[in-house]
Structures are given as C-alpha cells and as structure tokens.
Amino acid sequence: MRWNSEVIFSRPIRWILALHGDVVVPFIYAGVLSGDVSHGLRNTPSATIKVGSAESYKDVMQSAGIAIDVEQRKKTILEKSTSIVESISGSVVMQSGLLDEVVNLVEAPHPILGKFSESFLELPKELLIMVMQKHQKYFAITNQDGKLLPYFIAVANGAIDETVVRKGNEAVLRARYEDAKFFYELDTSKRFLEFRNQLKGILFHEKLGTMLDKMTRVQSLVTEVGLLLGLTEDMLQVVQDAASLAMSDLSSAVVTEFTSLAGIMGRHYALRDGYSEQIAEALFEITLPRFSGDILPKTDAGAVLAIADRLDSLVGLFAAGCQPSSANDPFGLRRISYGLVQLLVETNSNLELRHALELAAAVQPMKVESQTISDVHQFVTRRLEQLLIDQGISPEVVRSVLAERSNWPCLATKSAHKMKALSEGELLPKIIEAYSRPTRIVRGKDVTDDLEVDESAFETKEERALWSTFTSLRSKIHPDMQVDDFVEASADLLQPLEDFFNHVFVMVEDERIRKNRLALLRKVSDLPKGIVDLSILPGF
C-alpha cells in the first residue's frame, strides 16, 4: 500500500520509535517524526508508552503486556492452546503456516476455545478446516483418531471478555459454514462427471485454450508417459480413466471459493459418485507437490498424471512466450519445474526428459520449435541442479553428472549421490587423474571420432596392453551403467595407462604411428561419455 503518495508499506505508519542508547535518532519517514514513544494495546493504561533507552525496550513493552519476541508469542499460543483442548480430550491441528501468520497478527496472544454445531461435521473435514484457516485464522481440533471435533481455537489479542469474544467468533464461523454448506450442496446436486465440461469456461492461456483443452492434452499424453515408465495395462486403464476426470473440480463451487482444495475435493466427489479408490486418489495426486516440501504421489497413476500435467504446462507456456525473467514468474514455471524434478527423482520415475518434452510438444495447439524444447530442457536441468546442491552435493559433482546425464533426472540423481560418496574415498581421485592424461593430450589434436585404431601399428607392449584393457572395458562400460560400477571398472586402466605414459612417446614424427596412438588415447578418454564428465571435477 502507498502512504503519502510515495512510501510503500504494508500497514499505516502511525509512529516510529528510534533510539540509540537513551538518545532519540531524529528523522522523518512517511511524514512521521521519530521519537521515544511507542504504543501498547488500546483501552489499557499502557496505550502510550515512553521508552527510556534502546536497552530497556523489551522490558518496558513486556511490562505493558506486549510480547516483543515472536518465539515467545508462538510458545504462548502453543502451550495455552494445548492446555485448553485437554478439557475436551482433543488435539490442536497446528498448521505451521497458519501459526506463523497468527503469531504476527497479535502482540499479546490469548487463545480461547469456541464451538460450532455438530451438524456441520457432515461436510468434508478438509473443507471445514479450510474455512477456519482461510477466513478466520482459527485452529481446528481433532480427537485421538484424527476425527474433527466441533470445536476451534481462536487467538485474541490482549485482555478480553472471553464470553463475548467466544460468542462473536462462533457466530462468524457459523455464517462461514453456512456459506460452505451452500457451495457443497450446490456441487453435490450434480454428478462429478458434469464438472468436466464446465472446464471450458476457465481460461488456461489465450494461446493454449481453456482448462478443458489443457486436460484433453494431458489425457492424450498420459498413455505415452505411462508406457515410458513401464506401467501395466491395468494401471494404464486407471490412469486414462483418472485423466478423463482430472482437474474437473476446478469448476466446482467449493474449489472456486477455496482454490487450495483443488484435488482434495476432486477425490471426495469421485468417491462420493462411486469411482474407485485408485482413480479418486490419482485425482488428488495430480496436484502434488503443491509447494516446496509438500507430499508426493504414492500411486503410479497419480505420479503419471502429475508428470504429464507439468510437462504440458512447461512446454505450452514456453511455446506461448511465457518464460520467466529474473524478476518475474507470473505462471510459476520455476515451481512447476521444481515439482516435475521432485516427481521424477523421488518417485523413482526413470523418464527420458527430452523425449517426454517432445511428446508434450506434439499435443500443443501450436508448433513448438526444437529450440523451445531445448530451452525447457535446460530450465528443468537448472532446477535439478539446485535440488541436488540443496541435498548437500558439491556443485562440481552435480555439474559433472548433469553434463552427461541431465536427460535422465532420476539416474542423474542416483549418480550424483554415488559420486559424492566416491569423492570421499581414495579410488575416484586416481580415476580422475588417469582419464585426465589422455584427455589433455588429444584435446586440440586432429583426432576424429571415426579414426580407428590399427593394431598392426603398435610398436610396444604397453600399447598392446592398453588396447587389450580398453577392448575389455568397452564391453562392460555403457552410458546407462551405475557410476560406481564405472569407477570400479575403470580401475583396470590405472596400471596400463601408467605404463603407457612411462614408456611410450605419443607425438612421434611417423604420422601413422602418431595418429594411431592418438586414436587409442581418444577412445580411452571417451569411455566416461554418457556417465560423468570428469573434466569438471577437481584434480582433472
């Protein structure tokens, strides 16, 4: 908000307390002059408080009934709320985000217990809790079995008349629940299948059509994604059935009012209409993860739906020119991309990213250029890089793996963790040094990939020994092997390479011999391709 036409601040600025020791720091901000006066709770003897020094500030405010420390206020809310609900054998649903919000809405927290009519318990539990949290900032209460009780905790500010405040909060919540009941009954008067067609009234993007258009694309994409991930025919049928209903609850009255219930209400309405548990759960899991640290799909059907939905969003919005900038990301593409990475990595979905993006591009309502797919691929890879670094893997190790395996996020993640473990041992540094020597020699030399090694041109036993070791390893080393197996197999090269460089001069005058030796070293240096780029690691 703007104050005095220039200053932007979230709340009206009424006073400024600015002290250095016992001296006022004079300045004017937003038309307000700083001073040594603060204010406490209204209608109390401490409504206006003179602060003698910066050091005494906390104690002075505490004496006026104001808890300056956020953690102290949080502790007060938790302890008093827990004590209150013991009388009804309940447990407070202490959602961390709500607690963080409430603790910053009050200066002197005073939790009170309220009650609502048991008749409202006929509504879905998630709906009742959401009404409490979104509109009233109340905490729900459950019994030992997790069943919602007809009570709530409201947090008032300062000394109050509990009876009056309780009745007021109960009356407001009753009105909110009546509204929620109306929306719910409006939805349940229809078959869940009817909501699907109403998605055509919700615009996804002007170039990409409505939500119905989007979900039609996802429906055509899930089968291909499911096949790539090796789903059985029975599970593919579940995925297809779920895709024909997915996101339909976005057009329901309840989700229109409470958007965070998307997926939750879809699951509820599907079960209510007799759809299977598998289909209903997939309708919820397509929304996962909703934010960083959220739960992930537990079913194959849910994971495939969630992956397909994010593939469609990323490719479609990039093609429509909605790439995020350093300052703006209006479509949340970073969050969508990070969610895709989490899905692929943490549900163990070994999907070839480039191919999956191409499948998503094929169903878009516009031509998607190859460069756009490359841009999306790079964008997703950056999110994967950040995920792995956040997990405590060094940037060099992460980049060495992604340089070769970014197209397989699940495999890349496993490889990065194994490389981290290997980097703490003694063998990997030796392998890095061993591959660095032939790589540095052939770098910049006229040695093409198609240049073959001629065994008849070998002049020394060291050349023959290295070639023999290479041909043996070539049959064992392949691009999709585990990185620790690669490192272990490469140990066979250590001695032959050492002997070769101790006894063989590569850059001899004889062109045939020189090129043959360079070709041999080129083939050895290419062994890590598709597995890890060792040149990025320290010691190369």
Side-chain angles (χ1 to χ4, degrees):
M1 300 179 72
R2 288 184 179 271
W3 310 103
N4 295 339
S5 302
E6 296 179 0
V7 176
I8 299 175
F9 198 70
S10 58
R11 305 288 290 174
I13 301 173
R14 304 299 190 197
W15 73 89
I16 300 174
L17 173 69
L19 293 169
H20 180 71
D22 57 0
V23 179
V24 172
V25 180
F27 64 89
I28 296 176
Y29 183 74
V32 179
L33 177 65
S34 63
D36 59 358
V37 173
S38 187
H39 295 271
L41 299 168
R42 298 176 185 178
N43 304 319
T44 69
S46 302
T48 300
I49 309 163
K50 185 175 179 63
V51 181
S53 66
E55 290 77 14
S56 65
Y57 171 64
K58 184 174 180 179
D59 292 337
V60 169
M61 298 306 290
Q62 190 76 42
S63 299
I66 304 297
I68 295 298
D69 185 56
V70 172
E71 292 305 316
Q72 181 186 343
R73 297 200 299 273
K74 188 178 292 187
K75 182 180 179 182
T76 299
I77 293 173
L78 289 170
E79 290 180 351
K80 289 187 176 180
S81 298
T82 302
S83 176
I84 289 171
V85 299
E86 285 179 357
S87 62
I88 55 171
S89 301
S91 177
V92 183
V93 180
M94 199 58 71
Q95 202 262 346
S96 60
L98 178 61
L99 178 60
D100 289 339
E101 185 175 2
V102 170
V103 81
N104 284 293
L105 290 174
V106 294
E107 298 171 305
H110 188 120
I112 59 170
L113 180 67
K115 193 176 190 304
F116 60 86
S117 172
E118 292 189 22
S119 64
F120 289 121
L121 292 176
E122 296 176 359
L123 299 176
K125 172 184 174 181
E126 295 87 356
L127 175 57
L128 294 173
I129 292 176
M130 182 53 61
V131 171
M132 289 191 215
Q133 293 180 347
K134 178 183 176 182
H135 287 303
Q136 301 307 126
K137 314 304 177 189
Y138 296 163
F139 296 97
I141 301 172
T142 60
N143 63 13
Q144 300 297 326
D145 299 322
K147 184 178 178 181
L148 195 65
L149 295 176
Y151 297 93
F152 63 91
I153 292 287
V155 181
N157 194 31
I160 58 167
D161 184 327
E162 284 200 20
T163 302
V164 173
V165 173
R166 181 183 297 109
K167 286 183 178 180
N169 280 281
E170 289 175 346
V172 173
L173 185 60
R174 182 168 57 250
R176 294 292 190 184
Y177 276 171
E178 289 291 353
D179 290 342
K181 182 180 180 182
F182 172 77
F183 294 137
Y184 180 71
E185 290 178 346
L186 188 64
D187 287 344
T188 53
S189 66
K190 307 172 186 177
R191 299 284 295 173
F192 183 48
L193 189 60
E194 295 178 42
F195 291 114
R196 169 79 171 189
N197 197 47
Q198 294 177 22
L199 290 176
K200 64 185 179 183
I202 304 175
L203 183 66
F204 175 61
H205 187 277
E206 58 183 358
K207 294 181 180 179
L208 302 172
T210 65
M211 282 302 300
L212 180 59
D213 297 324
K214 173 178 171 54
M215 297 320 298
T216 301
R217 293 195 297 270
V218 171
Q219 189 174 353
S220 63
L221 186 59
V222 290
T223 301
E224 303 249 26
V225 173
L227 288 171
L228 289 175
L229 293 175
L231 265 61
T232 63
E233 286 189 22
D234 290 344
M235 187 53 63
L236 279 174
Q237 188 60 54
V238 172
V239 172
Q240 291 162 358
D241 291 344
S244 69
L245 296 167
M247 299 290 190
S248 296
D249 57 330
L250 289 179
S251 62
S252 69
V254 168
V255 175
T256 299
E257 179 69 16
F258 304 100
T259 54
S260 60
L261 291 178
I264 293 173
M265 296 310 298
R267 176 176 60 187
H268 177 85
Y269 291 145
L271 289 172
R272 192 175 184 279
D273 276 10
Y275 290 97
S276 70
E277 288 273 359
Q278 285 180 308
I279 291 175
E281 195 61 25
L283 296 181
F284 165 62
E285 291 183 338
I286 188 176
T287 66
L288 304 178
R290 295 158 293 189
F291 48 82
S292 179
D294 194 18
I295 59 174
L296 293 167
K298 295 180 180 178
T299 69
D300 291 339
V304 169
L305 273 176
I307 290 169
D309 176 57
R310 284 154 180 80
L311 288 169
D312 174 80
S313 294
L314 286 167
V315 173
L317 290 168
F318 262 73
C322 301
Q323 296 90 332
S325 67
S326 58
N328 293 308
D329 186 11
F331 290 92
L333 290 176
R334 290 187 180 88
R335 174 181 53 81
I336 293 172
S337 179
Y338 201 81
L340 175 62
V341 166
Q342 285 183 288
L343 286 164
L344 295 176
V345 168
E346 297 183 36
T347 64
N348 200 31
S349 300
N350 200 29
L351 188 70
E352 184 185 356
L353 182 57
R354 177 86 190 192
H355 183 45
L357 294 172
E358 289 170 348
L359 292 175
V363 299
Q364 298 304 314
M366 64 182 77
K367 178 176 173 56
V368 180
E369 301 294 337
S370 177
Q371 183 57 49
T372 300
I373 296 174
S374 298
D375 291 344
V376 179
H377 192 290
Q378 184 180 30
F379 186 72
V380 175
T381 299
R382 295 288 77 79
R383 306 287 85 69
L384 175 58
E385 179 180 340
Q386 188 59 54
L387 175 71
L388 295 174
I389 291 174
D390 288 345
Q391 292 176 352
I393 305 174
S394 73
E396 294 84 4
V397 168
V398 171
R399 289 164 193 154
S400 71
V401 171
L402 293 183
E404 296 294 337
R405 291 189 158 175
S406 64
N407 202 35
W408 298 90
C410 184
L411 179 60
T413 300
K414 294 177 181 177
S415 299
H417 281 282
K418 289 181 177 179
M419 281 293 290
K420 179 188 178 185
L422 288 166
S423 66
E424 297 167 357
E426 297 180 357
L427 179 58
L428 182 61
K430 296 177 181 178
I431 298 300
I432 293 172
E433 183 183 2
Y435 278 109
S436 71
R437 298 178 74 179
T439 302
R440 287 198 299 267
I441 287 177
V442 300
R443 187 178 290 161
K445 302 295 191 302
D446 184 20
V447 189
T448 58
D449 291 337
D450 57 355
L451 185 62
E452 293 299 324
V453 174
D454 181 4
E455 293 183 59
S456 65
F458 290 152
E459 292 186 335
T460 67
K461 64 179 181 180
E462 287 79 14
E463 290 174 278
R464 296 185 183 92
L466 181 57
W467 174 249
S468 175
T469 304
F470 166 77
T471 54
S472 174
L473 285 177
R474 185 170 53 182
S475 61
K476 301 176 184 177
I477 294 176
H478 46 87
D480 58 345
M481 76 185 300
Q482 295 298 326
V483 69
D484 52 344
D485 293 335
F486 162 75
V487 170
E488 184 178 344
S490 296
D492 292 346
L493 279 170
L494 295 177
Q495 194 58 51
L497 276 170
E498 181 71 20
D499 294 341
F500 180 90
F501 286 113
N502 284 340
H503 299 94
V504 178
F505 180 58
V506 177
M507 304 305 290
V508 294
E509 292 186 10
D510 188 315
E511 183 179 3
R512 176 169 173 263
I513 302 299
R514 182 177 70 251
K515 284 195 172 183
N516 197 56
R517 290 173 178 174
L518 286 170
L520 171 58
L521 294 178
R522 175 62 179 266
K523 290 189 179 298
V524 171
S525 68
D526 284 346
L527 282 174
K529 282 190 174 180
I531 303 170
V532 61
D533 185 349
L534 296 174
S535 68
I536 297 174
L537 295 172
F540 190 84

